[in-house]
Amino acid sequence: MGDPGRSPSLRFPHGGPPTLSTVTLLLLLCGYASSQCKILRCNAEYVSSTLSLRGGGSPGALGGGGRGGALGSGGLCRALRSYALCTRRTARTCRGDLAFHSAVHGIEDLMIQHNCSRRGPTAAPPPRGPVLPGAGPVGASGPAAPDPCDYEGRFSRLHGRPPGFLHCASFGDPHVRSFHHHFHTCRVQGAWPLLDNDFLFVQATSFPVASGTNATTTRKLTVIFKNMQECIDQKVYQAEVDNLPAAFEDGSINGGDRPGGASLSIGTANPGSHVEIRAAYIGTTIIIRETAGQLSFSIKVAEDVARAFSAEQDLQLCVGGCPPSQRLSRSERNRRGAVSIDTARRLCKKGLPVEDAYFHSCVFDVLISGDPNFTVAAQAALEDARAFLPDLEKLHLFPSDAGVPLCSATLPAPLLCGLFVLWLCIQ
């Protein structure tokens, strides 16, 4: 589970969460190193090198040239080795920079595609001159600079393909669907991190759903969008049951006065019950809902963002699911519910005809609480998954489903997920 004292942003129920001001101060201090990152220079030098090899034509993207393209594989390999060397030199100050993480993954992919060895000659240093952020030299034939606060556009420009996305959700008891498609029912009482990476922090606080039961529901959510130099000021969003504001904690509805401030926005179509936060600068959309006296959370997030964490950030429910000690076991299924199993199944079947993880989660919640409104929470979670999942074949999860652990570049598979444990009330 990790050492509660290792990371200032991990909140454990035993010691209680630190004050928000403490977390905010630490995040501001961490932002200084990000401002020293030189990845834009590496990007510009790579683009300049490939432009020269093409005789002045635009490479179009990090993956420009392709197999059998105008850019010879030997020249591309030299350019990629130079690019990799440049990123290694600036790695220490680029930990929190999304462009850096994107470039590192792109270089690795292209080296594999083009059978480039890691050892060998590098490209000659490009001529020095004025550069645009993330682009080559300024001039009539130079490519336009990608918008640093448009993640999808910038990624496609650098990699020659659309970015990958991941989905996580927490609703009801809470039931947690992790990034790698594990589905757990959790007892997590107190404050626990759903996400904790270099760009985003999400903490859920849960309380018992009823006396005499280990079931809990989320009644408070805190979301911190960490400072990003080119795009946004740090923004904090807090929601509680009966208080779902359509604004950040400081009253704003965007990322602030920086040029890319509009790349973070918050809005609602149903005040008091639904909030949607779009963070285009990190390719992320978050939906928070209130139903039946509990909060649900759903996210679509770029893979590079989800993977940008270190060993000190090893406890994230969206990454590893619930720790084994916090998963509700089969031995607890015999507790008597507020309604019968047949009634709970009938209520859930109306909106969830497929008896998948969402259906069984709904049955458990209605059985324990006796509140038919919990059917709405499960149905909304399924619809969010339908909208957010890049692969709809993964929409319906069943007990035999297994996931592939998500890793950071510096961390082995963080937590091994166990068996599916939703069969708490059905035999």
Side-chain angles (χ1 to χ4, degrees):
M1 189 185 302
D3 179 358
R6 264 190 317 184
S7 172
S9 57
L10 293 184
R11 272 76 15 228
F12 290 80
H14 307 297
T19 63
L20 188 59
S21 60
T22 301
V23 175
T24 302
L25 176 60
L26 290 168
L27 293 176
L28 290 172
L29 291 173
C30 291
Y32 173 76
S34 176
S35 68
Q36 309 303 308
C37 180
K38 305 300 182 186
I39 190 61
L40 295 182
R41 177 180 296 174
C42 297
N43 292 347
E45 289 180 353
Y46 170 79
V47 172
S48 179
S49 296
T50 53
L51 280 171
S52 174
L53 290 169
R54 282 176 176 268
S58 171
L62 179 62
R67 297 181 185 272
L71 180 59
S73 61
L76 177 59
C77 289
R78 288 193 295 272
L80 287 170
R81 282 192 287 266
S82 295
Y83 199 0
L85 178 61
C86 186
T87 59
R88 287 195 296 271
R89 287 172 174 168
T90 193
R92 186 176 62 83
T93 56
C94 286
R95 177 184 163 196
D97 192 284
L98 185 54
F100 171 79
H101 289 284
S102 180
V104 168
H105 289 300
I107 293 168
E108 181 71 19
D109 289 345
L110 281 174
M111 281 191 162
I112 293 172
Q113 289 175 25
H114 294 272
N115 296 318
C116 297
S117 64
R118 298 183 182 278
R119 296 179 181 274
T122 57
R128 291 295 181 185
V131 296
L132 293 172
V138 176
S141 62
D147 182 352
C149 302
D150 173 13
Y151 175 83
E152 292 192 50
R154 186 177 70 247
F155 186 99
S156 297
R157 176 76 173 275
L158 291 174
H159 295 262
R161 60 178 175 83
F165 293 94
L166 300 172
H167 169 59
C168 171
S170 173
F171 66 96
D173 178 64
H175 312 284
V176 175
R177 177 176 183 144
S178 73
F179 286 140
H180 48 278
H181 311 301
H182 284 135
F183 209 111
H184 295 148
T185 297
C186 313
R187 76 171 92 237
V188 286
Q189 185 173 343
W192 291 76
L194 288 166
L195 282 171
D196 184 10
N197 59 52
D198 293 343
F199 306 97
L200 188 62
F201 169 73
V202 182
Q203 177 176 280
T205 305
S206 299
F207 300 88
V209 66
S211 60
T213 177
N214 284 323
T216 60
T217 57
T218 299
R219 297 183 61 84
K220 181 177 180 180
L221 281 165
T222 299
V223 184
I224 299 177
F225 295 90
K226 301 179 183 181
N227 175 77
M228 190 167 179
Q229 183 182 1
E230 305 92 337
C231 303
I232 69 156
D233 300 321
Q234 178 173 284
K235 292 292 178 177
V236 178
Y237 179 78
Q238 288 201 44
E240 296 186 64
V241 171
D242 298 327
N243 182 21
L244 198 65
F248 295 108
E249 193 177 51
D250 62 3
S252 65
I253 57 172
N254 58 39
D257 296 330
R258 300 188 187 188
S263 64
L264 175 63
S265 62
I266 185 171
T268 180
N270 299 296
S273 61
H274 172 275
V275 166
E276 184 166 329
I277 306 175
R278 295 183 179 271
Y281 70 102
I282 52 173
T284 297
T285 301
I286 293 173
I287 293 177
I288 298 174
R289 305 178 191 271
E290 179 178 342
T291 307
Q294 58 87 35
L295 299 178
S296 62
F297 168 86
S298 185
I299 187 171
K300 175 185 177 182
V301 59
E303 289 182 1
D304 286 344
V305 174
R307 289 190 170 96
F309 62 89
S310 65
E312 288 76 23
Q313 297 161 299
D314 62 348
L315 179 58
Q316 303 177 58
L317 301 189
C318 279
V319 174
C322 297
S325 65
Q326 297 298 317
R327 301 175 196 171
L328 291 179
S329 70
R330 292 176 64 91
S331 64
E332 294 170 295
R333 73 184 186 278
N334 294 322
R335 296 186 186 276
R336 299 186 63 181
V339 298
S340 69
I341 290 178
D342 289 341
T343 298
R345 287 177 61 87
R346 177 173 50 78
L347 289 170
C348 293
K349 197 74 171 179
K350 293 179 181 178
L352 298 163
V354 178
E355 295 193 13
D356 61 357
Y358 295 94
F359 170 81
H360 292 300
S361 298
C362 174
V363 171
F364 175 77
D365 291 343
V366 174
L367 180 74
I368 295 299
S369 69
D371 188 344
N373 288 324
F374 271 94
T375 62
V376 178
Q379 291 169 26
L382 178 62
E383 290 309 307
D384 288 344
R386 193 187 307 277
F388 284 172
L389 280 171
D391 181 5
L392 287 181
E393 291 184 1
K394 293 290 187 180
L395 177 62
H396 299 291
L397 296 179
F398 300 94
S400 60
D401 290 330
V404 178
L406 177 73
C407 304
S408 76
T410 59
L411 184 66
L415 291 173
L416 296 177
C417 293
L419 298 174
F420 187 91
V421 292
L422 288 177
W423 311 98
L424 304 175
C425 50
I426 297 160
Q427 285 291 327

